[in-house]
Amino acid sequence: ERGRARYSGGGRALQPGGASAVRSFPSRPPSVAEDGRTLPNTAEQAPRACAVCVAAMAAAQAEAGGAPSVMAGAAGAAAMGDVGPVGSATAELEAAGPATDGAECGAGDAVAAEEAPAPPALPGLRLVQQGAEAHVYRGLFLGRAAVAKLRVPKRYRHPALEERLSRRRMAQEARSLLRCRRAGIPAPVVYFVDYVTNSIYLEDIVDSITVQDHIYSVQKSGNDTSDLHKLAEKMGELLARMHDEDIIHGDLTTANLLLRPPTDSLDLVLIDFGLSFISGLPEDKGVDLYVLEKAFISTHPDTEAMFQALLKTYAATSKKSGPVIKKLDEVRLRGRKRSMIG
Amino acid sequence: MERTHRLELFPERSVTLLLFQHVKNAAALRKKAMEGSLEGALINPAMIVDPFQILVAANKAVHLQKIGKMKTRTLYAEIIFSLSPSNNISDAFKKFGISDSDTAVLIVLVVDGDKNVNLADITSQVEGQQVSLDELPQLTDTAKVKKMYKVTPQEEKIGTLLDSVVCRMSTKDVL
């Protein structure tokens, strides 16, 4: 299964909000559906499970793609003339301008208030994930497998604040990634940072699996302990090196750690530095570990021993681990973000 | 022989790379490029690890041109500037552009989709032999590149030299 999101699109975007005006995608004349009508721009992302949406979409479009998964309009897409030899129906969308799927849904859907970013026109484009912060796509960028993270503008925020926050998060991500690489900590390579749409294009670690999925599969097959023990040690070592560089990941979960193929080599890569920052404080490092511990316990049952092994290797690898572990214990007792001062 | 790649994010633009060896008129070419009579960015192949490096620089340059935020005055100058890890424009030209005594030249062209690439025009002006881009790794001065981009030894363990170079190029202005 390819999971390609097919986009329909046509006509200029209906622009509900002002902030998106900066987008400078190549302009295209409004394209015309096969039956001669111009379609309103109903370019939309992956499934927004909104019955109102789907109904509106089906009504609005000549070809009733109709499928609830909103894979409609392949015919319409094809009619728009493709982009280059890859010729996939997926690739042409960005030209239609900022996607305004939310707007079409109507007042009934509160989620619709968020305007989703238009997917980039990369060959082989697939929507990987629709997070709260960003939409993540996979595709080929300049001939290489890449991941594109397009930030989702939060309409409930004041636009100036939104712009600033978005910019800062992106800058932090890029900065942390570079810092990691310079220190020899495996993280994806940054290919391109777009400050206009606040999107970032990174190296795609092909055929990797998340540590989360790996633990699931190992636990299911029952081969357990020794494999996972070693993995935990590797994780502890990696995190120790990262913290020694004063890099705080900010969102440590087993889903943000990848294993390069072959999985047995335990070649770890850290991803998703969107919430990262630079800090030397043991408190911040302790909280970073606490977040991971919580994620471990809540996602993976019976992994207390694993996390213990992780911490042990962490303490052994990092030169500054003493105060960090101490802080971790403190945070465990009281919960995070409670400095209990003042 | 030459290589052309479309810029996915800017579908009407494509980038063509031509590599020449045994070039005798580097000085004249440089002068022509500066005057504007020769179309293209003239780059020193010793500083280029892989065509991907050029594509990343071209992508960034085209993006900046589109939003009107170029630091230099022309697109080709911007490509050369984007290659450099420093924010000093003249330094970028010195290190990544060609000098009068160079015998190898890499020419980068960015064309709008409709216009036909006039390669013959370019190749006729170069007194040298056009070779395939596959010859590029032989012309790369790895030590010089490592020094220029300040690649650390730990970094070399987790990725290729190209990875390090591209990462610095793309995050240059965020720091």
Side-chain angles (χ1 to χ4, degrees), chain A residues 24 26 83-85 94 120-123 140-144 171 174-175 178 181-186 189-196 201 260, chain B residues 5-12 50 52 55-56 59-60 63 66-67 150 152 154-155 158-160 162-164 166-168 170-171 173-175:
Chain A
S24 53
V83 190
E94 46 78 33
L122 304 184
L140 288 173
F141 179 68
L142 303 176
R144 291 201 156 197
R175 219 174 281 151
L178 180 61
R181 284 204 77 86
R182 281 223 289 254
I185 292 164
V189 178
V190 182
Y191 290 158
F192 176 49
V193 182
D194 179 352
Y195 294 101
V196 174
Y201 295 77
R260 276 191 206 269
Chain B
H5 205 289
R6 233 172 23 86
L7 293 179
E8 291 89 353
L9 299 177
F10 312 100
E12 74 277 7
D50 185 283
F52 182 68
L55 292 178
V56 169
N59 183 77
K60 189 169 175 188
H63 166 75
K66 206 158 188 133
I67 59 174
K150 297 203 185 76
T152 65
Q154 311 96 288
E155 205 174 342
I158 55 162
T160 64
L162 177 63
D163 289 337
S164 316
V166 166
C167 210
R168 277 170 182 67
S170 52
T171 55
D173 38 7
V174 90
L175 288 161

Side-chain angles (χ1 to χ4, degrees), chain B residues 68-86:
Chain B
K69 292 252 168 85
M70 287 201 295
K71 292 261 167 69
T72 62
R73 273 184 285 152
T74 72
L75 177 64
Y76 292 120
E78 192 71 23
I79 293 180
I80 296 184
F81 179 60
S82 301
L83 283 168
S84 169
S86 97

Side-chain angles (χ1 to χ4, degrees), chain B residues 6 9 17 19 25 38 44 47 52 60 63 77 79 88 98 109 112 125 129 135 143 156 158 163-164:
Chain B
R6 233 172 23 86
L9 299 177
L17 288 84
L19 183 60
N25 63 338
L38 181 66
N44 182 359
M47 299 302 289
F52 182 68
K60 189 169 175 188
H63 166 75
I79 293 180
N88 185 320
I98 58 168
L109 292 161
D112 293 328
Q125 294 188 54
Q129 188 196 3
E135 305 285 321
E156 292 178 43
I158 55 162
D163 289 337
S164 316

Side-chain angles (χ1 to χ4, degrees), chain A residues 18-245:
Chain A
S20 51
V22 190
R23 300 248 167 81
S24 53
F25 290 115
S27 58
R28 282 198 186 206
S31 61
V32 173
E34 288 170 282
D35 68 349
R37 283 196 288 155
T38 41
L39 303 168
N41 177 25
T42 48
E44 72 286 321
Q45 309 293 353
R48 291 243 178 184
C50 163
V52 178
C53 261
V54 174
M57 230 82 76
Q61 291 172 16
E63 68 285 317
S69 63
V70 194
M71 300 287 182
M80 274 169 59
D82 74 56
V83 190
V86 179
S88 61
T90 61
E92 78 294 341
L93 211 9
E94 46 78 33
T100 52
D101 62 329
E104 311 317 305
C105 281
D109 191 344
V111 180
E114 281 178 20
E115 178 180 294
L122 304 184
L125 193 76
R126 287 175 324 193
L127 178 64
V128 171
Q129 210 177 40
Q130 241 176 314
E133 289 286 324
H135 291 334
V136 181
Y137 296 86
R138 271 202 168 106
L140 288 173
F141 179 68
L142 303 176
R144 291 201 156 197
V147 168
K149 284 172 83 165
L150 279 59
R151 294 216 102 84
V152 176
K154 301 271 167 88
R155 292 263 158 250
Y156 57 78
R157 284 192 196 130
H158 189 282
L161 174 63
E162 172 61 33
E163 182 58 37
R164 212 171 286 191
L165 255 177
S166 216
R167 172 84 40 97
R168 184 183 305 173
R169 291 257 171 89
M170 230 190 27
Q172 277 174 330
E173 181 157 19
R175 219 174 281 151
S176 299
L177 283 168
L178 180 61
R179 210 170 158 125
C180 271
R181 284 204 77 86
R182 281 223 289 254
I185 292 164
V189 178
V190 182
Y191 290 158
F192 176 49
V193 182
D194 179 352
Y195 294 101
V196 174
T197 53
N198 283 331
S199 25
I200 190 166
Y201 295 77
L202 306 163
E203 174 191 7
D204 180 13
I205 319 284
V206 188
D207 293 331
S208 58
I209 66 167
T210 62
V211 167
Q212 187 177 74
D213 290 337
H214 177 71
I215 296 179
Y216 282 154
S217 76
V218 168
Q219 283 186 327
K220 239 171 78 175
S221 69
N223 293 342
D224 240 349
T225 24
S226 56
D227 287 350
L228 292 184
H229 188 87
K230 230 176 167 280
L231 175 61
E233 288 181 347
K234 281 246 161 180
M235 283 166 67
E237 186 198 331
L238 182 64
L239 293 176
R241 277 166 51 207
M242 185 184 76
H243 281 174
D244 276 352
E245 295 294 323

